[in-house]
Amino acid sequence: MKERIVDSAYAAGWGLVKSLPEGLATSAFRLAADLAVRRGGGGVRQLRRNLRRVVPQASPQELDDLVRAAMRSYARYWKETFRLPAMDAKAIARRMDETVVGRDLVDKALARGNGLVVALPHTGNFDASGIWVAHHCDGFTTVAERLKPESLYERFLAYRESLGFEVLPLTGGETSPYRVMVERLKQNRVICLVADRDLTRMGTPVTFFGEETRMPAGPARLAASTGATLMVLDNLFDGDGWTVRFHSPQLVESRADAPAATQRLADHYAADIAAHPADWHMLQKLWVADLPEARRAALSAG
């Protein structure tokens, strides 16, 4: 029952929100964000704990203001998610051409002929950034969690494919997504992966804002396996638009170097997030210290 309700809510979002006037949609989502902050549910409380690590010097009032701004930013992301399918993707890409930073790094990486792995955190609107990447690089490949119910996964699949992305299911596909991504890199294509959270035994231990967490091993391992350039993408809200910033390219010489490369990604994410913390949408537990004792023990045992 709960899964059907969630699916129906997303269906209503894509059906209704895109037809609302922009001003009304913006006001409605901002109001929803402010109400969520006042309610102080689990996601908001975790966001506050996460942001305190980013800005430990903040006063209680400053932290309150930051949490409110972050929830408004998160609400903007969802408003845009529901409205992007009705917008002109080519026009969005042309508009973003004026604000892209690091385009030369992307072109240089692809000129090497071994593909490009772009790793990014949960900041800004990575779907809007993806529109620019898809148009500039003639598409790219990413991976998506197989949501439940299946109809909800299909909705997100259709949404991102409509923006020009090739989306591989994390599980349940005919072929391993890692194998497909290796093949795409051999074809000198682009892989984009959201890579700032993986609290499983497969995640790579890193230090992030001075504390232990885990991040996905996939981006660095793909780069090591194929010779692809590994690069960071910073997604920024910029007024009523978006800025894409590519930076910090690195080559990963071997699988043995992958953990150090992942730590470098974590360091770059930290610098970017500290520069615009309100646009980091991390409402889940991220640091190992926040996990239940049994979960921490399981990670240590792994």
Side-chain angles (χ1 to χ4, degrees), residues 65-187:
D65 293 342
L66 178 56
V67 170
R68 182 178 300 106
M71 286 302 294
R72 288 181 173 183
S73 175
Y74 186 51
R76 172 179 171 174
Y77 165 76
W78 281 109
K79 180 202 72 173
E80 292 176 353
T81 292
F82 293 131
R83 294 177 70 84
L84 280 175
M87 299 170 71
D88 185 338
K90 290 183 179 180
I92 291 173
R94 288 194 298 270
R95 178 181 178 183
M96 294 178 71
D97 270 333
E98 302 175 1
T99 58
V100 172
V101 177
R103 181 201 319 252
D104 58 320
L105 298 177
V106 173
D107 295 340
K108 182 178 179 180
L110 293 176
R112 293 182 60 248
N114 294 326
L116 170 63
V117 179
V118 178
L120 53 145
H122 288 81
T123 55
N125 189 334
F126 42 80
D127 289 329
S129 299
I131 289 174
W132 185 87
V133 175
H135 280 76
H136 184 72
C137 302
D138 192 25
F140 69 88
T141 302
T142 189
V143 175
E145 179 183 359
R146 194 149 212 145
L147 302 172
K148 294 181 180 181
E150 183 72 11
S151 56
L152 181 57
Y153 168 74
E154 294 292 342
R155 291 185 196 282
F156 272 96
L157 179 64
Y159 161 61
R160 292 198 163 104
E161 287 182 341
S162 75
L163 302 181
F165 312 170
E166 178 188 26
V167 183
L168 307 175
L170 180 61
T171 58
E174 295 181 0
T175 307
S176 159
Y178 188 89
R179 183 177 301 175
V180 176
M181 288 188 288
V182 167
E183 184 61 31
R184 296 293 181 269
L185 292 171
K186 290 180 178 178
Q187 297 166 354

Side-chain angles (χ1 to χ4, degrees), residues 185-218:
L185 292 171
K186 290 180 178 178
Q187 297 166 354
N188 199 31
R189 308 292 293 176
V190 177
I191 303 295
C192 292
L193 298 171
V194 181
D196 57 346
R197 183 176 184 270
D198 183 4
L199 294 176
T200 71
R201 294 181 182 180
M202 301 297 293
T204 297
V206 297
T207 300
F208 190 54
F209 288 102
E211 292 189 44
E212 179 190 355
T213 187
R214 296 193 176 203
M215 293 187 178

